[in-house]
Amino acid sequence: MPQRHSKNNNDLAFFTYDEKKKLGYGTQRERLGRDSIKPFDACCLCLKPFIDPMCCQKGHVFCKECILECLLSQKDIHRKLAAHTAQQKQEKNEEEDRLVQQKARELEAFDQQNHGAIPQYNDRNQSQDKTGFHGANSVKVTSYEEEALRTMKAFWLPSATPAAPVKVDAPSMSTVCPEGNEKLTLKSLFSVYYTEDNNEKKKSSLDKTFICPSCKVTLTNTLSLVALSSCGHVFCKKCADRFMAVDKVCLVCSKGCKERNLVNLAKGGTGFAGHDDNLEARDFKHLGSGSGLGLVRPAAKT
């Protein structure tokens, strides 16, 4: 006799919560760890430690080579513009053909309405009966019926499945930031300079530690960082609000700066909920993940 327990009660007509959890059915949630979050000293495009970093006015940091290659690829709009022009021309021709066919169908319907009682023969040499009926040849197939038979789509046949047309949108004449999708030009980019900690021993050339040049605090994802667009030096937000916002001078190069030159740098999360980042990943699975037959689709954003 089976145990009387909710987890062993498998004779129900629906899945219990424990069965859904074991099968991986429904929306699966997983909390992102530190390894899944971009560090502050990584490029937004290649996700590697940046080389010759450059920053936009929204605080996104890129490698110089990565952002220049991205902007140059967006500048190549001649091919996209030619494809968009060809599509517009094709749509115009199709619209004209559709109007011509519609006019022909209207004339054909008018002709059939006025001359439908007169028998029409395709082969005059064949014998006729007394009533003048010539069988199936006396029925005139209209162009509308021919068009309907020719364009009939059978969705159950792979060869007759209609294909959705690929629409080419008009290319944008301005380049955009790959991270924030706002307008971005080469002139709006500025180089940023992080102060490296020379006192700490390095394990490799890529293992670098950066500090704030004012308070000498090690920069991590837990700190809010501010870059000066006038000179490019990076400080922690506390020092920037305490000194640069008041004195209007950079503490490293003594170059003048204004409040609009203070750019808050974007960064990754820390793995803690108090960082105000979305640290949860979601996937919807029709079948269990353990069966190998699961069809995964992205869950709706809430």
Side-chain angles (χ1 to χ4, degrees):
M1 182 176 180
Q3 298 179 2
R4 298 181 62 183
H5 197 274
S6 61
K7 293 185 178 180
N8 297 322
N9 188 10
N10 54 7
D11 58 346
L12 300 176
F14 55 88
F15 284 131
T16 62
Y17 174 79
D18 186 70
E19 290 173 345
K20 289 182 179 179
K21 190 174 181 181
K22 288 182 179 179
L23 293 174
Y25 176 81
T27 302
Q28 301 297 316
R29 296 177 175 86
E30 183 178 358
R31 186 179 179 83
L32 299 179
R34 184 178 179 182
D35 296 337
S36 302
I37 301 172
K38 184 183 76 67
F40 75 96
D41 57 346
C43 173
C44 293
L45 289 176
C46 64
L47 302 179
K48 297 179 181 179
F50 44 59
I51 301 174
D52 297 332
M54 300 190 74
C55 181
C56 66
Q57 297 298 327
K58 295 295 183 180
H60 302 117
V61 183
F62 311 93
C63 296
K64 185 176 182 179
E65 182 180 357
C66 295
I67 190 61
L68 292 182
E69 183 179 356
C70 179
L71 294 179
L72 287 177
S73 62
Q74 294 182 28
K75 279 291 186 180
D76 187 18
I77 61 176
H78 299 288
R79 178 179 55 84
K80 298 180 181 179
L81 188 61
H84 179 66
T85 305
Q87 183 185 22
Q88 285 184 333
K89 185 177 180 180
Q90 182 180 1
E91 291 178 354
K92 184 178 179 180
N93 294 337
E94 291 178 355
E95 183 66 19
E96 292 178 355
D97 294 342
R98 188 184 66 82
L99 294 177
V100 171
Q101 292 178 2
Q102 182 179 1
K103 187 67 175 179
R105 286 196 297 268
E106 292 177 357
L107 293 176
E108 188 72 22
F110 178 78
D111 184 69
Q112 284 283 50
Q113 183 178 4
N114 294 320
H115 303 86
I118 300 177
Q120 299 179 1
Y121 311 119
N122 292 333
D123 191 359
R124 298 180 181 275
N125 296 327
Q126 294 183 4
S127 60
Q128 302 180 15
D129 55 3
K130 297 180 180 180
T131 58
F133 182 72
H134 193 65
N137 292 331
S138 63
V139 181
K140 184 177 181 181
V141 180
T142 62
S143 60
Y144 176 76
E145 294 173 348
E146 293 177 354
E147 183 70 16
L149 292 174
R150 186 177 63 85
T151 60
M152 183 181 62
K153 302 297 182 181
F155 63 89
W156 58 89
L157 298 177
S159 59
T161 303
V166 180
K167 187 174 181 59
V168 181
D169 297 330
S172 177
M173 297 300 176
S174 59
T175 54
V176 297
C177 177
E179 186 71 14
N181 293 330
E182 69 270 359
K183 289 185 178 181
L184 179 65
T185 60
L186 188 59
K187 294 181 179 179
S188 62
L189 292 172
F190 62 93
S191 300
V192 292
Y193 303 98
Y194 288 83
T195 303
E196 188 176 351
D197 189 5
N198 298 322
N199 297 327
E200 187 175 352
K201 295 181 180 180
K202 305 176 186 176
K203 296 181 181 179
S204 63
S205 59
L206 297 178
D207 189 10
K208 297 180 181 180
T209 303
F210 301 103
I211 61 174
C212 174
S214 176
C215 60
K216 307 301 180 182
V217 175
T218 303
L219 302 183
T220 60
N221 278 10
T222 59
L223 295 176
S224 298
L225 306 180
V226 176
L228 302 180
S229 60
S230 57
C231 59
H233 292 105
V234 179
F235 300 87
C236 64
K237 188 171 179 59
K238 292 183 179 180
C239 295
D241 295 339
R242 183 179 299 178
F243 300 108
M244 270 70 73
V246 178
D247 298 336
K248 310 296 182 182
V249 174
C250 177
L251 298 180
V252 177
C253 60
S254 300
K255 187 175 182 180
C257 63
K258 298 182 180 180
E259 188 175 357
R260 66 171 180 268
N261 298 127
L262 301 178
V263 179
N264 295 321
L265 297 183
K267 57 181 179 178
T270 60
F272 296 97
H275 197 262
D276 297 333
D277 279 341
N278 187 13
L279 304 175
E280 189 179 60
R282 296 183 182 182
D283 267 342
F284 182 85
K285 297 183 179 180
H286 294 277
L287 299 178
S289 58
S291 62
L293 302 176
L295 301 176
V296 182
R297 66 173 175 84
K301 296 182 179 180
T302 57

